[in-house]
Amino acid sequence: MRIGELAQRAGTTTRALRFYEAQGLLPARRAANGYREYGEEDLRLISEIRTLQAVGFSLDDTRPFVDCLRAGHETGDSCADSIEVYERKLDEVDACIERLTEVRAHLLGKLAGALEREPGPCTVPGPAAPDTKES
């Protein structure tokens, strides 16, 4: 299949596919007329890349999964390098959750303190009305 069909079937753009190719993630075979040609295995690579990016993986993070598929494995996470990326990403998520938990606790404390002071409505003085007298 040609690049336009691959882009359509993968739910992406030809520009993205060219970028993946430039990054070494998507091998392009050239026909005699110079057009890029792709197979079903390329659609599978693009699907893997897009799925991983949808859950927060960088393009570089997807590389071991793509390499694993290109090596002939049935899934992109059948290789040790892919497992290492999963573990690293989980560590990042855990750190983010920990930080957000701290932020949440801080905000709850601030809210409790504010509510204890029984806040009332705020009246902010508006700008002075313009002088409408004519000279």
Side-chain angles (χ1 to χ4, degrees):
M1 79 185 91
R2 296 215 312 237
I3 194 168
E5 181 183 351
L6 177 61
Q8 182 178 16
R9 289 183 62 195
T12 190
T13 63
T14 57
R15 184 177 179 186
L17 297 180
R18 287 187 197 100
F19 181 73
Y20 296 156
E21 180 185 346
Q23 296 302 306
L25 291 168
L26 181 63
R29 293 165 297 286
R30 298 282 182 161
N33 61 6
Y35 291 148
R36 292 172 173 88
E37 289 189 344
Y38 301 96
E40 292 299 318
E41 67 279 1
D42 298 312
L43 180 59
R44 193 162 167 222
L45 292 178
I46 299 306
S47 176
E48 185 82 0
I49 292 168
R50 290 180 46 83
T51 298
L52 292 168
Q53 285 192 301
V55 295
F57 283 48
S58 70
L59 195 56
D60 199 45
D61 289 333
T62 69
R63 195 170 302 281
F65 297 86
V66 170
D67 291 345
C68 194
L69 286 173
R70 288 172 67 183
H73 294 276
E74 191 160 322
T75 64
D77 57 9
S78 297
C79 300
D81 288 348
S82 301
I83 300 303
E84 288 177 23
V85 173
Y86 276 153
E87 291 171 341
R88 181 176 46 77
K89 291 303 280 184
L90 280 170
D91 287 344
E92 290 174 13
V93 168
D94 288 342
C96 188
I97 290 170
E98 184 178 326
R99 174 70 181 127
L100 288 173
T101 300
E102 292 169 2
V103 168
R104 185 176 194 280
H106 180 75
L107 289 172
L108 283 171
K110 293 294 233 178
L111 175 60
L115 291 174
E116 284 176 7
R117 290 187 298 278
E118 298 181 16
C122 290
T123 54
V124 178
D131 189 8
T132 56
K133 291 184 182 178
E134 293 183 26
S135 302

